Amino acid sequence: MTTATHYWDILQVILSTGREARLWERVFYDRDELIPGCDAIALRRFSLPEAALPELIPVRCSALEFEFCVRPPGGRSPGQHYALHLDECPETEVAVQGEGGIFGLSLRLIDADEPFDFEELDEQDGRYDAWA
């Protein structure tokens, strides 16, 4: 008897600015590049000034969970802790107040077996992802 493995392998993050989310960028992270203690936002390039961006700090990554901390720009405050679970709570939205205004982070775990066409997403919104 074989058991199917069930796990997430990609984290989708949509970073938006302001209450109306006028400016936004979507990035994808492989689970193995989310290093505990390292700011995941700093790993990518964005069109927004780096000093104004919030920090997304992975705390723990497992097959079904992603535990993380979100801090305002500058990392002076301890931040807020969250946990995503593939089966129970695979997505969340977080608002972060910083010097540059309010930032929204929308995070979603993508199941390894879920069909996900990155090229189709780029064609739909007419733009390239920040990491491309």
Side-chain angles (χ1 to χ4, degrees):
M1 181 169 138
T2 56
T3 57
T5 56
H6 176 63
Y7 62 94
W8 69 276
D9 64 345
I10 297 172
L11 174 69
Q12 172 185 288
V13 177
I14 298 175
L15 176 67
S16 59
T17 61
R19 295 188 191 278
E20 297 85 26
R22 289 179 293 187
L23 298 172
W24 63 274
E25 293 188 53
R26 177 178 40 222
V27 293
F28 299 92
Y29 297 92
D30 290 332
R31 185 177 62 183
D32 59 354
E33 72 178 311
L34 294 166
I35 302 165
C38 293
D39 180 11
I41 298 289
L43 294 176
R44 298 283 193 259
R45 293 183 140 183
F46 293 89
S47 60
L48 303 167
E50 286 183 27
L53 296 176
E55 295 180 9
L56 173 64
I57 311 294
V59 174
R60 187 176 62 82
C61 295
S62 69
L64 293 175
E65 289 186 301
F66 174 56
E67 185 180 343
F68 62 98
C69 176
V70 175
R71 291 192 289 215
R76 291 181 207 104
S77 76
Q80 299 172 328
H81 278 76
Y82 300 90
L84 296 178
H85 189 283
L86 184 59
D87 295 327
E88 297 168 11
C89 177
E91 29 188 307
T92 191
E93 292 187 11
V94 178
V96 182
Q97 177 70 44
E99 294 174 13
I102 296 175
F103 288 91
L105 285 172
S106 175
L107 298 98
R108 179 168 73 113
L109 300 180
I110 299 175
D111 192 321
D113 295 329
E114 180 181 338
F116 207 81
D117 186 354
F118 296 100
E119 290 180 17
E120 182 180 316
L121 286 174
D122 287 341
E123 291 170 7
Q124 286 176 355
D125 62 25
R127 45 181 286 288
Y128 293 99
D129 290 319
W131 57 269

